[in-house]
Amino acid sequence: MRLTTPAIVLALRSHGEHGAVVRLLTPNHGLVAGYVRGARGRRMRPVLIAGNLVEAQVSARTDAQLPQISVELTHSRGPLLTEPLPAAAIEWAAALTATALPEQQPYPRLFQALSGLLDAIEAAPSASGWGAALVRYELLMLAELGFGLDLESCAASGATDQLVAVSPRSGRAVSAAEAAPYAGRLLPLPPFVRDGGPAALPDTVDGLTLTGHFLARDLLTDRAESLNEGRARLVERLRRAAGMP
């Protein structure tokens, strides 16, 4: 393997005395992991922050060998780490991507969506500016990995309007009329998920409640318990910001 590519830094795990295994998301080669020499040194630490955009050179002599990676910073999102909510959102989106995706399988739509989410967080650090993008990124992650939700019509009646909930078992939408007898047992379906556009913070929390159920059930199993806990803290911060109980 020899390639030079733009990449988004996702995660870093110490390896050896000064280096680390770094996981990157690339547009055409998907998730790439490799060893970065000096990754924990003073020069490289600010470069290998989750969410940063880098130019990566990846090389390996054989498929069985851990690739060697060198990186140059092209855009830093380090300043956002001083803001608790944006920092938590970037950390979560990067960790989800690093954990859920198989290595070296291209997901160009996910690369573009993650880039867009990070740009939205940078442009409008208030969660009302990027919350909808985070929910859509999680929905896309589910769909790209084969667990997409069916939100086009009601599972019971086939109706395509007044869809207000989702079955936690089937992942299919439910209309207001059909949902009424099952109040409290269905997941919320906020309007922005189907209609597009921005979302108020309470709707963002509802959207994350929806995606969180299916992420935990279908993608983030027991091996990612700590990841689920990190996401729960992010959602709790958003609830407080929205003034929700």
Side-chain angles (χ1 to χ4, degrees):
M1 176 195 297
R2 286 188 179 275
L3 65 100
T4 300
T5 177
I8 299 170
V9 178
L10 299 178
L12 180 149
R13 185 182 75 249
S14 297
H15 186 83
E17 186 174 355
H18 301 292
V21 175
V22 178
R23 299 172 80 80
L24 307 172
L25 184 64
T26 69
N28 299 316
H29 297 84
L31 183 67
V32 175
Y35 179 76
V36 176
R37 191 180 306 276
R40 289 180 287 154
R42 181 180 302 176
R43 186 181 73 85
M44 293 303 299
R45 279 200 305 268
V47 175
L48 296 172
I49 292 172
N52 278 0
L53 185 64
V54 298
E55 186 77 6
Q57 293 184 336
V58 185
S59 62
R61 293 182 179 178
T62 68
D63 291 341
Q65 182 186 43
L66 179 69
Q68 300 284 317
I69 299 178
S70 62
V71 297
E72 293 291 336
L73 180 67
T74 58
H75 185 73
S76 174
R77 293 189 170 94
L80 292 172
L81 299 184
T82 61
E83 300 288 339
L85 263 176
I90 292 172
E91 180 181 358
W92 158 249
L96 169 64
T97 308
T99 301
L101 293 187
E103 289 187 18
Q104 297 184 28
Q105 293 189 27
Y107 292 96
R109 294 179 65 200
L110 282 174
F111 181 87
Q112 292 300 323
L114 181 57
S115 296
L117 170 61
L118 294 171
D119 287 345
I121 294 173
E122 190 170 22
S126 169
S128 59
W130 49 260
L134 176 57
V135 174
R136 293 190 188 101
Y137 182 68
E138 293 185 346
L139 286 168
L140 180 62
M141 175 74 70
L142 287 163
E144 290 285 286
L145 295 179
F147 300 101
L149 308 186
D150 182 354
L151 307 178
E152 297 304 312
S153 62
C154 176
S157 67
T160 58
D161 59 352
Q162 294 188 319
L163 302 177
V164 299
V166 175
S167 165
R169 295 184 65 182
S170 69
R172 296 191 62 189
V174 183
S175 68
E178 299 293 340
Y182 304 98
R185 293 161 59 184
L186 300 174
L187 297 165
L189 177 57
F192 81 91
V193 171
R194 296 185 74 245
D195 300 338
L201 282 182
D203 283 345
T204 294
V205 173
D206 282 347
L208 291 172
T209 299
L210 169 65
T211 53
H213 171 81
F214 295 101
L215 287 172
R217 189 191 74 176
D218 298 325
L219 292 185
L220 304 178
T221 56
D222 292 341
R223 64 190 173 89
E225 182 177 351
S226 62
L227 202 60
N228 285 319
E229 292 174 355
R231 186 182 189 277
R233 288 192 296 270
L234 169 61
V235 173
E236 180 57 30
R237 288 179 178 178
L238 287 168
R239 293 183 70 90
R240 290 199 300 268
M244 300 172 69

